[in-house]
């Protein structure tokens, strides 16, 4: 087994594995889905990593995404395509949330969203494996991250967006070098176009979970949380769930950290948060099903979680159930109210998907699913600056008499 252990870039990848059947696939080769059409997971020699990498070594490094390099798949340092992926802060929101509620603010990452985590890994691995052209369906932020990282290393990109994708995202994707097309449909309709082109050999399909490496980038959220909580984990995590890569990735990260002996067996309750206008995972969870049916007529202001069908549905449901959490939906009015409350009361601007997690937290408190003393993390997955905001300004005529006291 070649671990390619150099002083510069040790990695412990052994193979890839079908998430449904366990069938093994060779590492260092380009793969999409497994033979049964399900996501592939990257596996590591964690015993060897445990012997070679003491936790103190990682703790001593700068707190960026690449401090975790032994638990990441890129073998050669010169294939890393970085735009400066920092560890994102945990921001208290004591008024709109509660005394023990923290927001992991992913909007601080390159391109302003947590999609940077998954796409820096997927693009770095695409570079390592010789990919020249990539296509992707996107509700906005993933396409922006793909365009930025791929342009940086000379990979050609084509992005397909639902035609009501936020305008700033569409323009951002194009400005950062992708060819972008607006499609009269939803993200899975865009995905069908990408899949057809991939089958025709026109490009590599980088759709959510249709290649193995976005999960590896997203799992760094779980690795960071463990370090930020002093190698404990919070009591509950509320995660905005469309494709669910981050939730699946964090659950994988916790298992790997326990295998290394860096954390114990305690796990947070995982809350998969969806919008009531697009809640296929919630319905499957409530029905006790392992797979989710396509959600018809999907609509919500939180476009990032408007995903009618997720290829990793069973992995999301498995993680939520194993954790003792639930899948829950909140409506658009509650999402908007949470965004306004957090901005006005705590000064933190959430994206709509982040607002959904705050709304879900309050709903979970009311139902007794989490307590006031529980340490809770909400994920704000993108900067709120990318989304429309209500105009609540007033005008003044500087030539007229101004009643300053009334202002």
């Amino acid at each position: 087994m070649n671990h390619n252990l150099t002083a510069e870039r040790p990695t412990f990848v052994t193979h890839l594995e079908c998430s449904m059947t366990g069938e093994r696939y060779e590492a260092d080769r380009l793969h999409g889905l497994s033979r049964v059409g399900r996501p592939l997971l990257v596996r590591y020699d964690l015993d060897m990593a445990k012997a070679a990498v003491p936790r103190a070594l990682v703790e001593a490094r700068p707190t960026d995404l690449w401090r975790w390099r032994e638990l990441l798949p890129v073998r050669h340092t010169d294939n890393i395509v970085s735009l400066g992926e920092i560890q994102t802060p945990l921001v208290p929101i004591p008024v709109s949330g509660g005394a023990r509620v923290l927001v992991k603010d992913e909007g601080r990452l390159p391109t302003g969203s947590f999609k940077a985590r998954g796409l820096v890994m997927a693009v770095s691995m695409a570079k390592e494996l010789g990919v020249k052209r990539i296509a992707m369906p996107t509700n906005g932020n993933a396409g922006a991250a793909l365009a930025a990282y791929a342009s940086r290393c000379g990979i050609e990109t084509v992005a397909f967006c639902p035609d009501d994708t936020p305008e700033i995202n569409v323009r951002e994707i194009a400005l950062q070098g992708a060819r972008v097309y607006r499609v009269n449909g939803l993200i899975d309709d865009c995905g069908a176009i990408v899949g057809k082109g991939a089958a025709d050999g026109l490009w590599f399909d980088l759709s959510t979970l249709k290649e193995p490496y976005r999960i590896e980038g997203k799992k760094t959220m779980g690795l960071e949380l463990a370090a930020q909580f002093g190698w404990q984990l919070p009591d509950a995590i509320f995660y905005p769930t469309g494709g669910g890569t981050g939730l699946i990735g964090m659950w994988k990260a916790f298992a790997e950290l326990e295998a290394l002996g860096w954390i114990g067996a305690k796990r947070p309750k995982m809350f998969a948060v969806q919008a009531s206008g697009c809640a296929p995972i919630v319905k499957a969870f409530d029905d006790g099903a392992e797979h989710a049916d396509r959600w018809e007529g999907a609509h919500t202001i939180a476009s990032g979680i408007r995903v009618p069908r997720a290829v990793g549905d069973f992995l999301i449901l498995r993680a939520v159930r194993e954790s003792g959490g639930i899948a829950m939906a909140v409506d658009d009015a509650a999402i908007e109210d949470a965004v306004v409350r957090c901005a006005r009361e705590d000064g933190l601007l959430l994206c709509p998907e982040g607002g959904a997690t705050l709304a879900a937290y309050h709903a979970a408190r009311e139902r007794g699913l989490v307590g006031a003393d529980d340490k809770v993390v909400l994920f704000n997955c993108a900067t709120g600056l990318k989304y429309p905001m209500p105009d609540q300004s007033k005008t003044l005529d500087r030539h007229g008499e101004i009643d300053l006291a009334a202002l």
Side-chain angles (χ1 to χ4, degrees):
M1 198 178 294
N2 173 23
H3 290 296
N4 202 30
L5 291 181
T6 65
E8 186 183 30
R9 190 75 186 89
T11 182
F12 297 90
V13 174
T14 55
H15 63 284
L16 308 181
E17 178 182 293
C18 174
S19 54
M20 182 170 276
T21 66
E23 182 183 9
R24 290 172 67 110
Y25 290 74
E26 195 180 332
D28 306 310
R29 302 244 331 255
L30 193 62
H31 295 285
L33 294 173
S34 73
R35 278 192 313 125
V36 296
R38 291 296 169 176
L40 292 175
L41 301 174
V42 181
R43 295 304 185 197
Y44 300 83
D45 186 335
L46 295 172
D47 289 334
M48 184 179 272
K50 184 175 184 177
V53 187
R55 196 175 76 184
L57 177 68
V58 172
E59 288 177 311
R61 291 173 178 162
T63 57
D64 63 6
L65 182 147
W66 300 102
R67 80 191 294 202
W68 307 102
R69 52 189 172 266
E70 290 86 3
L71 295 176
L72 299 174
V74 186
R75 292 206 192 271
H76 303 288
T77 308
D78 56 3
N79 289 323
I80 292 174
V81 186
S82 178
L83 286 164
E85 298 74 37
I86 62 163
Q87 172 175 287
T88 58
L90 290 166
V91 182
I93 50 165
V95 183
S96 64
R100 310 217 354 134
V101 178
L102 300 167
V103 173
K104 190 143 174 68
D105 190 12
E106 297 284 285
R108 317 291 179 99
L109 287 159
T111 72
S113 89
F114 67 172
K115 299 293 185 181
R117 293 183 188 272
L119 273 302
V120 69
M121 208 61 58
V123 171
S124 296
M125 288 303 297
K127 180 186 176 190
E128 186 152 282
L129 298 171
V131 174
K132 301 299 183 200
R133 186 186 294 132
I134 290 170
M136 176 198 282
T138 177
N139 279 320
N141 284 317
L146 171 64
Y149 287 110
S151 294
R152 193 164 177 86
C153 68
I155 294 176
E156 197 181 335
T157 53
V158 191
F160 298 89
C161 306
D163 54 12
D164 60 351
T165 296
E167 189 64 28
I168 192 165
N169 290 141
V170 179
R171 297 189 180 208
E172 177 187 18
I173 294 165
L175 188 61
Q176 299 203 102
R179 292 199 298 283
V180 59
Y181 296 92
R182 303 174 199 248
V183 177
N184 54 343
L186 296 173
I187 192 165
D188 57 342
D189 300 309
C190 296
I193 297 169
V194 173
K196 188 169 188 320
D200 291 345
L202 299 175
W203 48 59
F204 183 69
D205 184 346
L206 211 75
S207 301
T208 301
L209 292 178
K210 289 190 179 174
E211 57 77 53
Y213 301 110
R214 274 166 84 174
I215 291 178
E216 296 305 293
K218 284 282 192 77
K219 85 179 182 189
T220 59
M221 295 187 296
L223 301 175
E224 283 181 18
L225 279 180
Q228 287 174 301
F229 276 88
W231 309 105
Q232 305 289 316
L233 293 173
D235 296 306
I237 291 173
F238 287 77
Y239 188 81
T241 305
T245 318
L247 195 151
I248 297 163
M250 283 192 281
W251 201 242
K252 184 174 187 287
F254 301 152
E256 289 173 356
L257 288 170
E258 186 181 356
L260 290 171
W262 296 6
I263 65 170
K266 177 184 173 288
R267 296 286 183 275
K269 288 182 182 174
M270 306 295 280
F271 289 83
V273 179
Q274 299 202 296
S276 53
C278 184
I281 300 297
V282 177
K283 184 178 186 307
F285 181 86
D286 290 346
D287 291 347
E290 193 182 4
H291 294 283
D293 295 330
R294 185 181 194 272
W295 188 273
E296 300 302 329
H299 63 91
T300 171
I301 56 168
S303 58
I305 52 176
R306 192 184 59 183
V307 178
R309 173 182 279 139
V311 69
D313 54 0
F314 68 105
L315 294 170
I316 300 167
L317 290 160
R318 191 181 296 168
V320 170
R321 287 177 175 134
E322 286 176 5
S323 76
I326 69 164
M328 59 191 304
V330 290
D331 63 32
D332 280 4
I335 291 172
E336 288 182 309
D337 180 61
V339 170
V340 169
R341 281 186 60 191
C342 192
R344 288 192 178 157
E345 295 172 0
D346 285 303
L348 183 63
L349 191 60
L350 303 176
C351 63
E353 298 79 9
T357 66
L358 178 55
Y361 167 71
H362 285 298
R365 280 290 309 277
E366 284 174 18
R367 291 169 59 181
L369 300 172
V370 286
D373 292 332
D374 286 338
K375 285 185 288 190
V376 174
V377 173
L378 314 179
F379 270 84
N380 183 45
C381 51
T383 170
L385 294 170
K386 289 194 183 194
Y387 299 86
M389 298 175 226
D391 181 6
Q392 297 176 330
S393 62
K394 299 183 176 75
T395 56
L396 276 181
D397 176 9
R398 67 187 177 89
H399 299 296
E401 187 120 350
I402 299 174
D403 182 357
L404 294 175
L407 303 183

